[in-house]
Amino acid sequence: MATQVALLAELQRVDQNIKSNSEAVEARRSALQQLDTQISAQRQQVATAEAEWAALEKRQRELDAQLTDAESKTKDRRMRIARIRNDKELGLVRREIDALKEVMNAAETELLTLMEQGDQRRTAVEAARQALAALETARAAEAAELDATMARVASVIEEDRSRRDTLLATVDVDLHRRYELIFSRRGGVAVVGVRSGTCQGCHMHVPPQLFNQIKRNEQIFLCPSCQRILFWEPQDDESKA
Ligand SMILES: [Zn+2]
């Protein structure tokens, strides 16, 4: 029958497997979450860039309409001038034509600026859309990785959990509690082998008398330096001896 220490060592193998497999799944999940966060931020950027571009195009259409309107009014006033015989009225219409020219000049100047900005805006929208597409591709790949990881480890985790339950039925309750405490505080290593008189957890030398007691694997002994549970793990030459 297996000793308590041997059972604990086996339990630890199972627990370490569960831990590393669960962590692998968790790492994939958190990578996916990070991508989701980046994607929603990028969507916001695309929307902002698109809105800025749309506002610019709207202003361009307004200015185009102003120009068309001013041009047709100018044409109309010039035709009227030919028929005017009155100096006062003539002066009035000429001033009107000058005012229309100013409107057209201002509209043309602004349109030129907007055309330059329009190229920048369009580039910004395209860049934002490309960045979003890249993130979405990365997300799809990450989601596939998560699925693959799940497919690979889900049944293994399930088997390990049931193996763990079986082992726990045979391990002393107090000893298990101690083991859990050390396992969580010592980075997932609670039970360590002693090889050539050295603790494999902290690589400190175990006193010879303690080493001899450990070799029997009957009682529970803790490493004097790292406080982990020790068991004897014979090397080839030691086991032959
Ligand atoms: Zn130690």
Side-chain angles (χ1 to χ4, degrees):
M1 193 189 144
T3 63
Q4 286 288 301
V5 181
L7 286 172
L8 274 190
E10 173 61 14
L11 179 65
Q12 176 168 275
R13 268 193 289 280
V14 174
D15 277 347
Q16 283 172 343
N17 272 344
I18 295 174
K19 189 167 182 272
S20 74
N21 283 327
S22 307
E23 281 169 356
V25 172
E26 255 335 289
R28 291 275 169 222
R29 279 214 181 102
S30 88
L32 198 62
Q33 271 173 5
Q34 265 184 14
L35 280 167
D36 282 339
T37 309
Q38 285 176 292
I39 283 172
S40 61
Q42 192 56 38
R43 284 212 176 107
Q44 195 57 53
Q45 282 201 26
V46 169
T48 306
E50 283 173 347
E52 283 172 356
W53 192 19
L56 186 136
E57 288 194 317
K58 183 172 173 254
R59 181 64 185 150
Q60 275 180 337
R61 284 193 297 274
E62 283 170 7
L63 290 168
D64 281 338
Q66 268 183 30
L67 266 179
T68 311
D69 179 60
E71 273 162 9
S72 88
K73 277 181 181 157
T74 305
K75 209 173 161 188
D76 172 75
R77 301 302 182 268
R78 285 196 202 286
M79 279 161 71
R80 210 188 289 171
I81 279 177
R83 297 191 301 265
I84 292 173
R85 300 283 172 259
N86 174 328
D87 278 352
K88 195 186 165 194
E89 204 185 331
L90 195 65
L92 226 93
V93 175
R94 283 205 171 118
R95 275 199 296 281
E96 224 182 322
I97 289 173
D98 287 344
L100 286 167
K101 197 182 264 175
E102 271 177 42
V103 167
M104 287 191 285
N105 282 343
E108 274 163 3
T109 309
E110 195 179 340
L111 267 175
L112 280 176
T113 316
L114 289 185
M115 277 159 90
E116 278 170 31
Q117 286 178 358
D119 287 341
Q120 291 167 8
R121 292 273 190 265
R122 193 172 46 246
T123 309
V125 168
E126 277 163 10
R129 282 177 185 161
Q130 270 173 22
L132 179 60
L135 282 171
E136 278 167 347
T137 306
R139 194 208 181 273
E142 192 56 54
E145 288 285 356
L146 175 61
D147 285 348
T149 307
M150 289 290 281
R152 184 165 51 79
V153 304
S155 63
V156 178
I157 292 179
E158 197 62 32
E159 280 165 30
D160 282 340
R161 287 212 173 115
S162 109
R163 174 90 186 111
R164 184 174 193 276
D165 290 343
T166 311
L167 282 167
L168 280 186
T170 58
V171 175
D172 177 77
V173 174
D174 285 335
L175 182 60
H176 177 242
R177 199 172 295 145
R178 255 161 95 187
Y179 158 86
E180 285 288 349
L181 198 68
I182 303 171
F183 189 86
S184 66
R185 288 189 183 169
R186 298 273 165 190
V189 185
V191 187
V192 289
V194 180
R195 247 186 259 159
S196 310
T198 307
C199 165
Q200 295 303 298
C202 65
H203 301 288
M204 294 299 281
H205 220 68
V206 174
Q209 200 198 339
L210 179 59
F211 183 49
N212 287 330
Q213 288 174 306
I214 292 164
K215 268 186 169 181
R216 286 185 215 120
N217 268 352
E218 282 166 359
Q219 268 177 279
I220 300 299
F221 295 102
L222 299 185
C223 168
S225 335
C226 70
Q227 309 299 317
R228 290 188 175 100
I229 300 162
L230 297 171
F231 77 98
W232 187 49
E233 199 176 49
Q235 279 184 319
D236 286 349
D237 50 343
E238 284 177 314
S239 53
K240 271 176 216 144

